[in-house]
Amino acid sequence: MTSPPRPLQVAANQIDLAIGGMTCASCAARIEKKLNRMDGVTATVNYATEKATVSYADGVTPDDLIATVEKTGYTAALPPPPAPAGAEQAAAEPVDELRGLRTRLWVSVALAAPVILLAMVPAWQFDYWQWLSLTLAAPVVVYGGLPFHRAALVNLRHGAATMDTLVSLGTLAAFGWSLWALFLGDAGTPGMTHPFRLDITRTDGAGNIYLEAAAGVTAFLLAGRYFEARSKRTAGAALRALLELGARDVAVLRDGVETRLPVDQLAVGDRFVVRPGEKIATDGVVEEGTSAVDASMLTGESVPVEVGPGDTVVGATVNAGGRLVVAATRVGGDTQLAQMARLVEQAQTGKAAVQRLADRISGVFVPIVIALAAGTLGWWLGSGAGPTAAFTAAVAVLIIACPCALGLATPTALLVGTGRGAQLGILIKGPEVLESTRQVDTVVLDKTGTVTTGRMALVDVLPAAGGDAAELLRLAGALEAASEHPIARAVAAGAADAGPLAPVTGFANVEGLGVTGTVEGHEVTVGRLRLLRERGLDVPEGVERAVTGAEAAGRTAVLAGWDGRARGVLAVADVVRPTSAGAVAGLRTLGLTPVLLTGDNATVAKAVAAEVGIDEVTAEVLPADKVAVVRRLQAEGRTVAMVGDGINDAAALAQADLGLAMGTGTDVAIEASDLTLVRGDLTAAVDAIRLSRRTLAIIKGNLFWAFAYNVAALPLAAAGLLNPMIAGAAMAFSSVFVVANSLRLRRFRPAYPTHP
């Protein structure tokens, strides 16, 4: 069945809102539901990033969106515009929030620890120990649990219930029961003791206190929330590092004078100076100087790239060599760094299909749990077990049920996975892409610029019998250096590597056939076989065989001759990238069948395919027909990935089930793709698919354990087999486990060790 083409993205009214006050996944689900009820609004709310990505029609304003969020009981604000000077301030705000949470946690732990110990060890229960426990537990429940109680109250005012409702109900019920037992029951009498038990005991409850459950649960949940917040901040570190890569200021040339300006004042067309060791301020074209540029922080490629006049450079890369003068071509939000950051952030705010299911479950989970707790209370009371057993089981149900882990399962894995991908030069556009990578079984590789370098290079020098290869290259290269043809430049570059080029006189271009001129006193002709024969040069049989052999190998044969005779052949080809063969092998290891697709003739295509290990070749395809090839493969029942880099690949990238664009390619190709490989290397495609599949596996593992935890724990709690304090610890641990499992993606390493 043929997959429909994925449309190119169309700019719409879209805005990102910073959401405040969310404490769990059901908060995000409520806000998302309210926003989506507005006419012309489509919203996705992400609990992990605390952002809402909203698309809205012309009749809706950002103020309307903010008002809707505030009516739901939360805060919303437009993110501040990016400003280099404010970067440190923006980064400091989450740290302050974390500091307040840490203070609340340590106070609660310090006060709750003696309460728990006294309850667990009957031998330490001295006279009036219960009143000391009350004195220590009260600040924990009131001050430590304030975030839970406040959120529960806000939600109650808006007629809603969230995970905080469960926590607040559970801890206040345990604390309230203890107050009743101490002041109105038998628990306040001197010398009262009771053992710490994990199961249900049948008593009237008048002598039982649950201060250790109220304080312990609060402390455990605060610990879970703190480590969750810290881990979420760690998970987003890659994106923050990406945003902070850019230069802060720049030396702009104005009337020949260097002026230091903040980088946000740079305009397109400005010429600026980059000294050795400095970051390049923005995307541009080198006008003066030569250097090596270290792009490892953007592409993951460890080897610096040589640049000179006419070469493009990317902002935030580091000038490792000489002084450069660069003309700015893109500034601000148009730069490659800004586009990378946008792509990463968009991926982190999206949701995979599996997470949408989890969100729907979270949205209805809280009312179900409250009903289950009430049912548990009624059943135990009805069975004659007594109020203590009934109350203990009901509180355990309330506390164990919080499915925070469900809400964190996908966002945290996406945060870490996409952030790690950005560090390696792999940009994942959204969580739906992860689903696609699992299903792909065929990968279509565009030849030029993907499997090959996309640049002609001299690959062989074949002198005639008795001839000198060095002389052949020297004379032919000197003549070709005067030509602008790509094949001529390849020959000239090969000759220049061997030594200095001699001057040329009487240069002439014979259109479509070659060039002639005088070099070192010889009348030299370089070009096609026909040109040499038209000029009366004798072409030996051995030279003709060399031409045939070069063309059979998929190379372009250039003949050179002087003094009445052809002296040899220079073979030029679009060189296969040194890593392509290893990348193709890596794709096969992932269970993918590679297919080479090219507009070149079949001979060239088969030669390249044989060199890199591809069996299936489709050659001599017009750009417009590439889509048809992808459709044909899909009609055969294959799930197709396409790797390309040019404008002529954009439609095929959009048609494919998974599109991967080489970052060295055009903006159109990158826009049409699902994955962008900033590193212009096919090995990045292998790493991209590996990372995507690994991230999806982590997400599924997180969701499995989060679901399994709730499914297994709720019956245990309802059956009275879980002490509320143990339930609180287990619930907090489930969230921490999910986040810690996601953080394993930070250790993802490329398949090829040459890339750090």
Side-chain angles (χ1 to χ4, degrees):
M1 182 177 175
T2 303
S3 300
R6 291 171 290 101
L8 298 179
Q9 292 179 354
V10 178
N13 293 327
Q14 185 164 311
I15 198 169
D16 285 339
L17 296 176
I19 305 294
M22 289 194 299
T23 54
C24 62
S26 59
C27 297
R30 282 190 60 227
I31 298 168
E32 190 172 293
K33 189 175 179 181
K34 292 282 189 182
L35 287 172
N36 284 323
R37 280 181 179 169
M38 298 174 68
D39 290 336
V41 172
T42 304
T44 298
V45 180
N46 190 306
Y47 170 48
T49 58
E50 297 181 335
K51 282 187 179 179
T53 301
V54 189
S55 298
Y56 57 97
D58 290 335
V60 181
T61 66
D63 288 340
D64 296 334
L65 301 172
I66 291 172
T68 298
V69 175
E70 288 176 346
K71 283 177 188 172
T72 314
Y74 304 88
T75 63
L78 297 175
E88 293 81 0
Q89 182 182 352
E93 290 172 7
V95 177
D96 292 336
E97 181 185 339
L98 211 58
R99 187 180 297 125
L101 190 55
R102 184 168 58 239
T103 301
R104 195 179 297 271
L105 169 63
W106 286 122
V107 169
S108 299
V109 168
L111 295 175
V115 177
I116 295 169
L117 286 172
L118 284 172
M120 289 178 69
V121 186
W124 293 356
Q125 293 172 2
F126 53 86
D127 288 348
Y128 302 111
W129 68 273
Q130 65 271 45
W131 297 102
L132 174 62
S133 291
L134 175 64
T135 305
L136 296 173
V140 178
V141 175
V142 176
Y143 166 72
L146 187 61
F148 307 110
H149 308 319
R150 186 191 293 128
L153 189 61
V154 168
N155 286 306
L156 183 63
R157 282 207 301 265
H158 290 86
T162 66
M163 309 306 155
D164 295 292
T165 309
L166 302 183
V167 174
S168 183
L169 268 177
T171 54
L172 288 178
F175 189 68
W177 179 282
S178 301
L179 288 178
W180 176 84
L182 283 168
F183 288 99
L184 301 176
D186 303 329
T189 57
M192 185 279 291
T193 62
H194 68 68
F196 180 80
R197 302 176 62 92
L198 296 179
D199 58 351
I200 299 297
T201 52
R202 294 173 180 266
T203 70
D204 62 1
N208 290 81
I209 58 174
Y210 290 97
L211 293 171
E212 78 283 0
V217 165
T218 302
F220 281 129
L221 294 183
L222 276 175
R225 187 162 289 186
Y226 170 73
F227 288 116
E228 175 188 312
R230 195 176 73 170
S231 298
K232 277 160 59 178
R233 179 163 174 76
T234 305
L239 177 58
R240 284 194 302 278
L242 193 64
L243 292 167
E244 292 166 7
L245 278 178
R248 292 280 184 260
D249 55 18
V250 58
V252 180
L253 280 175
R254 300 270 168 88
D255 300 322
V257 178
E258 289 186 27
T259 307
R260 278 275 166 191
L261 296 174
V263 75
D264 57 351
Q265 294 182 21
L266 201 59
V268 172
D270 279 347
R271 300 169 73 241
F272 60 92
V273 177
V274 189
R275 292 183 174 79
E278 287 185 339
K279 288 181 180 177
I280 296 172
T282 194
D283 299 358
V285 177
V286 176
E287 291 194 344
E288 298 174 22
T290 58
S291 181
V293 172
D294 178 4
S296 59
M297 69 287 296
L298 288 184
T299 65
E301 175 58 68
S302 58
V303 181
V305 180
E306 297 292 333
V307 297
D311 290 331
T312 58
V313 289
V314 178
T317 54
V318 177
N319 177 17
R323 178 182 183 271
L324 296 174
V325 176
V326 180
T329 55
R330 291 177 177 180
V331 296
D334 296 328
T335 63
Q336 186 173 327
L337 176 65
Q339 289 171 357
M340 283 176 67
R342 256 197 314 276
L343 283 173
V344 174
E345 195 160 17
Q346 284 167 9
Q348 293 177 349
T349 55
K351 290 183 181 178
V354 284
Q355 180 61 29
R356 294 196 176 279
L357 173 63
D359 284 352
R360 284 197 295 273
I361 292 170
S362 294
V364 299
F365 195 76
V366 176
I368 290 172
V369 168
I370 292 175
L372 182 61
T376 300
L377 182 68
W379 186 87
W380 280 93
L381 286 173
S383 68
T388 299
F391 174 77
T392 303
V395 169
V397 167
L398 286 173
I399 291 169
I400 198 72
C402 298
C404 295
L406 283 179
L408 290 169
T410 294
T412 51
L414 273 177
L415 273 171
V416 185
T418 53
R420 181 61 182 142
Q423 291 175 332
L424 297 172
I426 300 163
L427 305 183
I428 303 169
K429 279 197 175 176
E432 300 82 5
V433 175
L434 307 178
E435 307 272 4
S436 301
T437 59
R438 180 191 54 176
Q439 299 157 353
V440 165
D441 54 32
T442 302
V443 57
V444 176
L445 305 174
D446 174 56
K447 180 184 77 71
T448 307
T450 302
V451 176
T452 65
T453 61
R455 296 186 302 275
M456 302 300 280
L458 181 67
V459 295
D460 210 352
V461 180
L462 306 165
D468 180 8
E471 183 184 31
L472 172 64
L473 180 59
R474 188 177 73 253
L475 297 184
L479 183 61
E480 292 280 54
S483 171
E484 289 299 314
H485 194 281
I487 292 175
R489 286 205 297 269
V491 174
D497 289 341
L501 300 178
V504 179
T505 57
F507 176 83
N509 180 45
V510 183
E511 191 168 350
L513 292 177
V515 293
T516 62
T518 304
V519 182
E520 294 182 358
H522 299 284
E523 289 290 332
V524 181
T525 302
V526 179
R528 296 188 177 183
L529 180 61
R530 177 181 154 192
L531 177 62
L532 270 69
R533 283 182 171 157
E534 284 180 0
R535 295 295 163 129
L537 277 72
D538 176 48
V539 181
E541 187 180 337
V543 172
E544 287 192 38
R545 281 200 305 271
V547 170
T548 305
E551 290 176 345
R555 297 167 176 175
T556 301
V558 179
L559 289 83
W562 57 89
D563 298 341
R565 186 166 172 268
R567 303 289 174 169
V569 176
L570 299 114
V572 175
D574 179 7
V575 183
V576 171
R577 294 180 186 272
T579 55
S580 290
V584 169
L587 291 170
R588 287 189 185 279
T589 303
L590 292 171
L592 305 176
T593 302
V595 177
L596 188 67
L597 182 65
T598 179
D600 270 359
N601 64 67
T603 302
V604 173
K606 287 177 181 175
V608 170
E611 188 173 343
V612 298
I614 296 176
D615 301 324
E616 196 171 338
V617 180
T618 303
E620 299 176 17
V621 178
L622 295 174
D625 295 334
K626 289 187 175 182
V627 174
V629 173
V630 173
R631 282 184 182 148
R632 173 176 61 78
L633 292 168
Q634 289 171 332
E636 293 172 4
R638 304 198 203 184
T639 305
V640 180
M642 167 82 187
V643 185
D645 71 334
I647 292 174
N648 59 353
D649 298 322
L653 286 167
Q655 173 64 43
D657 300 286
L658 179 69
L660 297 93
M662 304 290 274
T664 50
T666 63
D667 290 344
V668 177
I670 290 169
E671 185 66 23
S673 68
D674 301 301
L675 283 155
T676 301
L677 313 174
V678 180
R679 194 167 82 221
D681 187 333
L682 194 56
T683 57
V686 181
D687 291 334
I689 293 172
R690 285 178 58 241
L691 176 62
S692 297
R693 288 183 177 179
R694 178 85 178 277
T695 304
L696 182 64
I698 291 284
I699 288 173
K700 291 193 167 183
N702 285 348
L703 286 169
F704 170 79
W705 287 111
F707 274 116
Y709 161 80
N710 279 297
V711 168
L714 273 173
L716 290 175
L721 300 177
L722 282 180
N723 179 285
M725 187 175 66
I726 303 301
M731 195 279 282
F733 172 76
S734 70
S735 293
V736 174
F737 169 80
V738 162
V739 175
N741 191 42
S742 299
L743 288 172
R744 291 193 300 129
L745 283 166
R746 297 176 73 193
R747 300 200 297 269
F748 177 85
R749 293 288 179 269
Y752 299 89
T754 52
H755 304 299

